[in-house]
Amino acid sequence: MEGRNQDQTLSVTQHSSPGSSVFDLPIQISTLGLNVSNDASVDVNRHGWVPADDASFLVISGGTGGNAICSAFANACYVLPVSDDGGSSSEIIRVLGGPSVGDIRSRLVRLIPPTPPSSPLDAIRRLLAHRLPSKSSERDARDEWRDIVEGRSLLWKGIPSDRKETIRGFLVYFESELLKRAHKNFDFRNGSIGNYFLAAAQGFFRSLPSAIFLFSSITNSQAHILPVIVTNHTVTIAAELEDGERMVGQCEISHPIVPTELSFQVPDEEAPTSPIDGLGESMSPPRNIMFESFAKGTHEALPSPIQRLYYINGYGMEIHPSPNGDFLSSLASRDVLVYSCGSLWTSIIPCLALKGVAGKIAGSPSLRAKVLLLNTENDRETDGYTATDYIKAIVRTLNSDYSNQTYGLGSANTTYPVSAFVTDLVYLKTTQIAVDVEHITLLGVRCREVEGTRFDADTVAFAMKQVCTDVS
């Protein structure tokens, strides 16, 4: 044990494969939560189960809801949606197109290794976590952006020149792409510098995984983050309500923005055109740049409960995109699947409403537990839900058919039981959501009540140890 503690620094086991992607980076060893060993001599009991301290996790979450519990997992792969259309992501999508990077950037910044406040890495963190002012005029926000992109801002202080010029180079690239579309009047208010950097890298490489690798490399992060869909196009979700109404986009579903001059813009028929317009998506998203994550705290109930969530293309037609292949591979190799706390319909469900995911979860040879962390309270998406409703929404989504329409025979689908997708429900003693333990147990789901008012890393780590111990 003493040897293992001494190894919990920066020393890692070298693998034969080249470090060609972020997924080859070593997993950061943490003393908080569940520790992992890269030693080939890890004990496996007679049931084939890895001990709790060495369990590997696959965590499905959104950008904000899962950030507080990240340090509970020493060996985790995070799967995040790419359909957020709020904050500066909406402005990037409106002008440049491409997948949403906001949730991924949020998790990447959260997983930058902790360092002293005066260290170069902390300076990089401050820069990539920085937001341009939201209350100022558009000109003031643009002027601050210019100071940053031209290298004059105090935010660059303490960042080594090699990393400074690498980051600044991509910010310059981002600025050049905006200038090509100057007639679209990009608004820098509430803009995230980390979003700008990640979007620029994605646009330059034409690869979101490559952009994640670059971000991780510059920040010394050992994060294992997978976008649920790998694409260079904008990804849009829509919700069908039980009364038949359709709502388009994450913001409209989860936290609609009060219309302002920033959220509504009348097209200018005489605006100059650009030769690069029209090559991407045709559906222009609303301007939700003034959205703040704390805006989710208050909500107006939906007109009707959500029946299902699905993806649409730029013409508003339903589509069935393929999930990231690395996501499917991870479902076949990880020990525990975790549906994180957070927005159910706009963070968790978008990672499940994809073809092939249900079969991989239900038929995984490695997954020993599939755990749902129940929210402490409902939000706009789940107003009036009980714990059973959360479970049923996940099961109904995964049991839906996401294949292309077929004709004739061969269109039969497998309907899996609840326990194929959820084996454990973890909820806080203080939760405001009704939990019918007897009924949920009859569905084949173990219920676990834990102390606390909010899920934090310690609480989740304790619950995961219980889960791992009980199924060993």
Side-chain angles (χ1 to χ4, degrees), residues 319-341:
I319 57 174
H320 303 293
S322 298
N324 186 341
D326 289 321
F327 172 32
L328 299 183
S329 298
S330 294
L331 287 169
S333 62
R334 294 273 161 170
D335 300 318
V336 180
L337 174 64
V338 178
Y339 305 101
S340 175
C341 46

Side-chain angles (χ1 to χ4, degrees), residues 87-383:
S88 65
S89 292
S90 71
E91 191 69 354
I92 294 171
I93 293 170
R94 183 184 70 85
V95 176
L96 300 180
S100 174
V101 299
D103 285 348
I104 293 174
R105 182 269 313 158
S106 176
R107 185 60 46 82
L108 283 166
V109 170
R110 172 63 183 82
L111 292 175
I112 295 175
T115 54
S118 59
S119 67
L121 192 54
D122 190 66
I124 294 174
R125 185 208 315 272
R126 287 196 304 272
L127 173 68
L128 296 178
H130 182 71
R131 277 195 182 272
L132 299 174
S134 59
K135 306 296 185 181
S136 68
S137 67
E138 198 280 333
R139 179 182 291 276
D140 288 342
R142 182 181 294 271
D143 287 344
E144 182 176 336
W145 160 252
R146 285 291 171 80
D147 283 344
I148 293 172
V149 77
E150 293 174 8
R152 298 192 306 266
S153 172
L154 291 177
L155 287 168
W156 293 109
K157 184 178 180 181
I159 299 178
S161 59
D162 56 347
R163 300 191 186 192
K164 172 183 176 180
E165 293 308 316
T166 300
I167 297 172
R168 199 173 74 84
F170 281 94
L171 297 183
V172 169
Y173 175 82
F174 184 80
E175 171 77 358
S176 70
E177 291 300 301
L178 296 182
L179 290 174
K180 294 176 185 177
R181 302 161 177 82
H183 62 285
K184 291 189 174 183
N185 299 317
F186 188 90
D187 196 324
F188 288 96
R189 278 177 288 186
N190 201 36
S192 163
I193 302 302
N195 281 1
Y196 296 167
F197 172 71
L198 197 58
Q202 183 277 327
F204 180 82
F205 294 122
R206 303 302 295 164
S207 167
L208 184 50
S210 297
I212 294 171
F213 168 68
L214 178 66
F215 196 112
S216 297
S217 300
I218 289 176
T219 59
N220 286 357
S221 171
Q222 297 164 358
H224 191 166
I225 294 177
L226 300 176
V228 71
I229 299 172
V230 177
T231 179
N232 291 319
H233 300 288
T234 298
V235 175
T236 304
I237 55 174
E240 179 183 315
L241 307 187
E242 290 183 359
D243 64 0
E245 182 179 347
R246 183 172 88 156
M247 311 193 85
V248 175
Q250 176 171 320
C251 271
E252 184 178 359
I253 298 168
S254 182
H255 37 263
I257 305 299
V258 177
T260 66
E261 73 229 336
L262 294 176
S263 59
F264 180 76
Q265 186 178 44
V266 178
D268 185 354
E269 298 295 338
E270 298 183 358
T273 59
S274 168
I276 61 175
D277 284 344
L279 298 180
E281 299 72 21
S282 59
M283 180 178 289
S284 179
R287 304 185 74 178
N288 301 317
I289 61 174
M290 301 312 289
F291 167 73
E292 302 279 1
S293 60
F294 58 77
K296 297 182 182 180
T298 57
H299 66 273
E300 179 183 349
L302 290 168
S304 176
I306 297 175
Q307 175 65 30
R308 69 184 184 109
L309 182 134
Y310 57 97
Y311 288 89
I312 60 175
N313 62 16
Y315 300 98
M317 300 173 60
E318 181 173 356
I319 57 174
H320 303 293
S322 298
N324 186 341
D326 289 321
F327 172 32
L328 299 183
S329 298
S330 294
L331 287 169
S333 62
R334 294 273 161 170
D335 300 318
V336 180
L337 174 64
V338 178
Y339 305 101
S340 175
C341 46
S343 300
L344 174 66
W345 282 103
T346 56
S347 292
I348 307 301
I349 298 297
C351 297
L352 307 178
L354 297 162
K355 54 188 177 184
V357 173
K360 290 295 184 180
I361 294 177
S364 171
S366 65
L367 290 176
R368 298 298 190 268
K370 301 150 189 180
V371 185
L372 170 61
L373 301 180
L374 183 67
N375 291 341
T376 56
E377 58 187 5
N378 286 317
D379 55 19
R380 172 179 162 90
E381 304 171 18
T382 56
D383 195 57

